Amino acid sequence: MRETNKQMLTPDILLHAYRLMATARSMADTYDANRQVCKYVHSTSRGHEAIQIATGLQLLSCDWVSPYYRDDSILLSIGFTPYELMLQLLAKKEDLFSGGRSYYCHPSSKDSAKPSIIHQSSATGMQAIPTTGVAQGIQFLEQSQSPLFKRSADGKLPIVVCSLGDGSVSEGEVSEALQFAVLKQLPIIYLVQDNGWSISATAEEIRTTNAYEYAAGFKGLKRLQCDGSDFIRSYETMEQAISYARAERRPVLVHAKVPLLGHHTSGVRKEFYRNREDLLKHGLYDPAPKLRLLLNGVGYREHEINAAETEALEKVMSDFARAQQAAEPDTDQVEAHVFAPTAVTEEKGKRVPKNGERVMMVDAALHAVEEILSEYPEAVLYGQDVGARLGGVFREAATLGDKFGSSRVFNTAIQEAYIVGSTVGLSALGMKPIVEIQFADYIYPGLNQLITEASKSCYLSNGKFPVQMVLRVPTGAYGGGGPYHSGSIESTLLSVKGIKVVYPSNAADMKGLMKAAFLDPNPVVMLEHKGLYWSKVPGTDDARTIEPAKDYILPLGKANVVVEADAANVRKGETVCIITYGMGVYWAKTMAEQLPGQIEILDLRTLFPLDEEAIFSAVRKHGKVLVLSEEQQNNSFAEALALRISNSCYHFLDAKVEVMGAKNLPAVPINMALEAAMLPNPAKLAERIHKLLAY
């Protein structure tokens, strides 16, 4: 039915909907009656079935849908079986969504016969941004006539449905999603199911308006509302919304009022916080008796309706028995799919081409992105102020907007969460986004999306949805940038599993690593030290290098010895290895000039994946080591690395591993004398190096 033209409601559709409703109810009852078996936390769609089934029955295989954690009726209505859903409920090996890694009704699917589903998290409202990113990508692919654009079998245009609970609409990230969808007029439907509760908090406690009223503030957003417990009203409303989004290519918000007949979750049961009066009131709006009466009205006899119920119950019981017997996940696969494999494993191309020109780091990055955009039509660049008018506050995107047009290089609002999270949706469509946070200090509003959505997508979708994106982040202190434009964030980022972190220190590395980051099928953060962009800081002229050729690619995870100690000094034990990155390379180079032949400098270049082989080899060679970082020292990546070195190279060390970072202050002061007092520098470094050499 999903591939045909729009159909009016028929008795057959009503009976099919009732059978699905009975299936969902039987599943909820079965789970509740078998709590010892259904031991993992779960929610069900009890009370929400009518609006969910009315939605799912009208979606096409070219569409995308993001159900939230109580939307099992949507999943049934788009074609998933109770058995398939139960495999996730019981965290079984063959759980097609996550391989036993995620909760019930946290789907992800690339089944070509059904609407596609990107990875769904538990964080309420967070799906709004990645799902809006899907709609953003669909619009781009459609308007650019990309071969990646997919219609239905009979030529219909795809739409996106994002399902939300009304309580989640208070999240700021939902507002960011709505803002972008309306601004760009994207083909997306926000289906808001309002049951009047946010766990134990009532609507009256936590909001001044419902989603329909709130949406009035978004000019250009079509609004509809219905009784979500009435299947006909729900079907007609969703038919109107879907037809509008499919034909007009514009956003819609549907507010559906529904009863909550089940528990919030299996662990937070309704009797904990709801009184008898409230439960009875919600029970009056149970969608199943309503639909049963409707079936009577269109000519179905009681025995036919009862047969549909019996059939549903038997199917559920049979599938539940099968699911219990299904195999458990293989524990030796617990580390699989953290990352998708990358094809870039070797350094390739000309790093120093004949007659090449020496360029600054900022230009090497600019040229790398320009070459990427020229070669890959599915690549886009967006962020604050990167568009044609300015080209980035550091001019790191200068000319790109003019060269590639506003559909591929464009400004966003001040929405770090949207900038980061939308890449999840674009990547799922085969696009390759490059996005930018203006300063490292402002990444924190985007961390929710980076951690909750982007970093976990590959792992929790069991490898189906790695997120291919490059996130550019200017970082570091110099010249009185002050407390909100000078921060170092690498330790924060490195605490996140499922992302890669790159930190080049010169133009050649910048270009080669940018290309590798772009080609990597995983989320990669490029930390770009703004003090090295133009080599304006004294002692950083070496950040300017001959620009590599267009074909140059430098794989992630390969450290580089930028200064080598004299072999004779190494044999005498009179050398120190400084392991560092970014600005630390140039502080270390100053020391190398002061102590010729006694300093070896290992530039990490990539902080994750980390080149442990190169690190441990250098430590074993010298026996004396200092890890140098611009970050505040306590609890930092540098300290963690020092411990790893100590644990792995203990018998080769002549002295304890030294660590040097910035002073442990909350922020970088704006006064340049105070800034200098906080940060490492060659003079401070000299004291520590001489201490090591004295061992």
Side-chain angles (χ1 to χ4, degrees):
M1 188 191 78
R2 290 191 303 274
E3 293 292 2
T4 60
N5 291 325
K6 182 176 74 174
Q7 294 185 20
M8 298 299 292
L9 272 172
T10 64
D12 285 347
I13 292 175
L14 294 177
L15 184 62
H16 179 48
Y18 187 76
R19 186 177 291 109
L20 291 170
M21 198 175 289
T23 301
R25 172 169 296 196
S26 295
M27 289 163 63
D29 291 343
T30 300
Y31 303 162
D32 210 36
N34 293 271
R35 291 171 64 185
Q36 294 301 316
V37 176
C38 306
K39 58 189 177 183
Y40 302 112
V41 174
H42 58 271
S43 294
T44 67
S45 55
R46 283 291 287 115
H48 294 228
E49 301 99 332
I51 186 65
Q52 291 186 21
I53 294 168
T55 300
L57 288 179
Q58 299 184 73
L59 296 179
L60 309 178
S61 62
C62 63
D63 295 332
W64 293 72
V65 60
S66 287
Y68 80 120
Y69 54 74
R70 64 171 73 253
D71 282 359
D72 53 8
S73 285
I74 285 184
L75 295 172
L76 289 171
S77 64
I78 64 175
F80 290 102
T81 66
Y83 177 71
E84 290 169 328
L85 302 187
M86 290 168 182
L87 289 174
Q88 187 173 52
L89 173 82
L90 302 177
K92 296 293 188 174
K93 176 181 179 179
E94 298 305 322
D95 157 29
L96 73 164
F97 300 137
S98 71
R101 296 174 176 188
S102 199
Y103 304 93
Y104 179 65
C105 205
H106 286 57
S108 57
S109 176
K110 299 178 79 170
D111 186 336
S112 61
K114 299 180 179 71
S116 298
I117 308 171
I118 57 174
H119 157 253
Q120 299 298 298
S121 73
S122 292
T124 54
M126 296 306 101
Q127 72 271 33
I129 286 178
T131 309
T132 304
V134 174
Q136 177 188 344
I138 285 174
Q139 183 187 73
F140 175 84
L141 296 176
E142 180 181 358
Q143 293 179 350
S144 63
Q145 300 182 325
S146 169
L148 295 173
F149 184 67
K150 299 292 190 293
R151 296 173 179 258
S152 72
D154 58 354
K156 288 192 175 63
L157 297 173
I159 62 163
V160 180
V161 174
C162 179
S163 178
L164 301 157
D166 192 273
S168 72
V169 177
S170 58
E171 288 278 7
E173 294 183 35
V174 175
S175 174
E176 290 193 21
L178 293 173
Q179 168 74 19
F180 195 92
V182 174
L183 179 67
K184 301 295 185 180
Q185 289 291 284
L186 303 180
I188 184 169
I189 298 167
Y190 298 97
L191 171 59
V192 181
Q193 300 171 58
D194 184 358
N195 61 32
W197 286 95
S198 291
I199 309 185
S200 67
T202 64
E204 292 73 24
E205 288 179 87
I206 62 169
R207 71 185 189 199
T208 58
T209 60
N210 64 33
Y212 180 82
E213 296 160 339
Y214 176 70
F218 294 89
K219 186 178 180 181
L221 177 62
K222 185 178 180 66
R223 297 179 301 144
L224 301 169
Q225 57 183 339
C226 67
D227 177 354
S229 69
D230 183 318
F231 181 75
I232 287 187
R233 299 286 83 78
S234 296
Y235 193 95
E236 290 173 343
T237 301
M238 290 309 300
E239 182 181 63
Q240 183 182 351
I242 290 170
S243 296
Y244 178 82
R246 206 178 297 285
E248 300 297 327
R249 319 305 288 152
R250 294 179 180 179
V252 190
L253 183 139
V254 175
H255 175 254
K257 185 69 175 175
V258 294
L260 178 60
L261 303 183
H263 306 288
H264 169 68
T265 67
S266 56
V268 182
R269 303 181 67 78
K270 58 188 177 183
E271 57 267 22
F272 292 175
Y273 59 93
R274 298 174 67 185
N275 59 34
R276 182 172 180 272
E277 180 184 5
D278 177 73
L279 292 170
L280 289 173
K281 183 178 71 174
H282 279 250
L284 294 174
Y285 295 92
D286 189 335
K290 289 184 175 184
L291 185 51
R292 186 182 182 102
L293 284 173
L294 187 60
L295 290 174
N296 292 143
V298 297
Y300 284 104
R301 298 179 181 180
E302 283 297 311
H303 76 273
E304 294 176 295
I305 302 172
N306 290 339
E309 287 185 347
T310 301
E311 178 187 332
L313 177 59
E314 290 175 350
K315 173 66 172 171
V316 167
M317 297 307 296
S318 172
D319 282 5
F320 188 62
R322 284 178 60 209
Q324 290 179 68
Q325 299 305 312
E328 296 292 322
D330 297 325
T331 55
D332 61 359
Q333 293 298 303
V334 69
E335 294 182 277
H337 302 302
V338 175
F339 293 106
T342 178
V344 180
T345 58
E346 300 293 334
E347 187 171 4
K348 295 179 180 179
K350 295 181 180 178
R351 182 178 174 96
V352 186
K354 187 178 180 181
N355 300 322
E357 294 186 2
R358 199 161 175 253
V359 297
M360 297 180 292
M361 267 183 65
V362 69
D363 289 331
L366 171 66
H367 299 161
V369 174
E370 180 177 353
E371 290 166 5
I372 287 167
L373 291 171
S374 296
E375 186 172 354
Y376 296 93
E378 66 273 29
V380 292
L381 169 67
Y382 57 95
Q384 296 164 29
D385 298 304
V386 303
R389 193 173 296 110
L390 181 61
V393 294
F394 298 103
R395 303 295 286 159
E396 72 282 1
T399 74
L400 297 180
D402 290 329
K403 290 178 179 177
F404 296 99
S406 60
S407 66
R408 297 189 65 197
V409 179
F410 58 90
N411 294 328
T412 65
I414 302 172
Q415 294 182 332
E416 287 83 4
Y418 190 87
I419 292 167
V420 174
S422 57
T423 66
V424 176
L426 269 65
S427 179
L429 291 161
M431 293 182 62
K432 297 178 171 62
I434 304 170
V435 295
E436 182 177 312
I437 298 294
Q438 202 162 76
F439 290 92
D441 305 83
Y442 300 134
I443 198 172
Y444 300 102
L447 281 184
N448 207 353
Q449 290 292 319
L450 186 66
I451 296 169
T452 304
E453 308 298 336
S455 73
K456 293 177 172 61
S457 181
C458 187
Y459 186 70
L460 292 182
S461 70
N462 216 21
K464 292 190 297 295
F465 287 106
V467 178
Q468 181 168 2
M469 63 91 107
V470 177
L471 175 58
R472 298 184 63 185
V473 185
T475 189
Y478 88 102
Y484 294 103
H485 299 81
S486 307
S488 293
I489 59 169
E490 50 266 34
S491 292
T492 298
L493 293 172
L494 291 166
S495 70
V496 181
K497 311 312 172 191
I499 65 172
K500 300 183 180 183
V501 181
V502 178
Y503 204 138
S505 68
N506 61 68
D509 288 351
M510 171 72 88
K511 187 168 186 181
L513 289 168
M514 184 75 78
K515 294 288 185 74
F518 175 80
L519 294 171
D520 199 298
N522 303 288
V524 182
V525 181
M526 293 283 298
L527 294 175
E528 305 174 15
H529 199 296
K530 60 185 191 292
L532 299 177
Y533 264 158
W534 299 290
S535 293
K536 287 184 176 180
V537 177
T540 63
D541 187 63
D542 285 352
R544 299 168 61 221
T545 69
I546 298 295
E547 181 174 359
K550 181 180 178 180
D551 64 350
Y552 180 65
I553 301 176
L554 177 62
L556 309 188
K558 302 290 185 183
N560 183 42
V561 176
V562 294
V563 172
E564 192 168 3
D566 181 74
N569 289 331
V570 173
R571 286 193 296 272
K572 291 186 290 184
E574 296 177 353
T575 59
V576 172
C577 177
I578 301 176
I579 299 172
T580 188
Y581 55 94
M583 186 63 77
V585 170
Y586 298 94
W587 296 327
K589 280 189 171 185
T590 300
M591 278 306 306
E593 292 171 1
Q594 295 175 12
L595 296 168
Q598 290 187 273
I599 302 296
E600 188 148 307
I601 303 171
L602 185 68
D603 181 359
L604 295 175
R605 302 198 289 198
T606 302
L607 307 186
F608 191 90
L610 192 62
D611 191 348
E612 290 189 349
E613 181 180 349
I615 293 168
F616 297 156
S617 176
V619 173
R620 288 191 292 267
K621 177 180 176 182
H622 298 280
K624 302 182 183 74
V625 114
L626 183 142
V627 182
L628 175 61
S629 168
E630 182 174 328
E631 263 196 309
Q632 294 94 322
Q633 184 171 321
N634 279 9
N635 306 315
S636 64
F637 159 69
E639 286 195 334
L641 178 55
L643 177 62
R644 200 178 309 178
I645 291 169
S646 295
N647 288 342
S648 299
C649 303
Y650 177 79
H651 295 292
F652 296 91
L653 292 171
D654 298 329
K656 75 177 184 70
V657 179
E658 290 285 333
V659 179
M660 186 172 185
K663 292 184 182 299
N664 299 300
L665 305 177
V668 181
I670 194 169
N671 178 277
M672 284 190 279
L674 295 177
E675 177 190 84
M678 177 185 179
L679 298 177
N681 61 37
K684 297 175 185 178
L685 183 58
E687 182 181 343
R688 302 288 284 276
I689 294 297
H690 286 297
K691 176 182 173 183
L692 273 173
L693 286 172
Y695 273 91

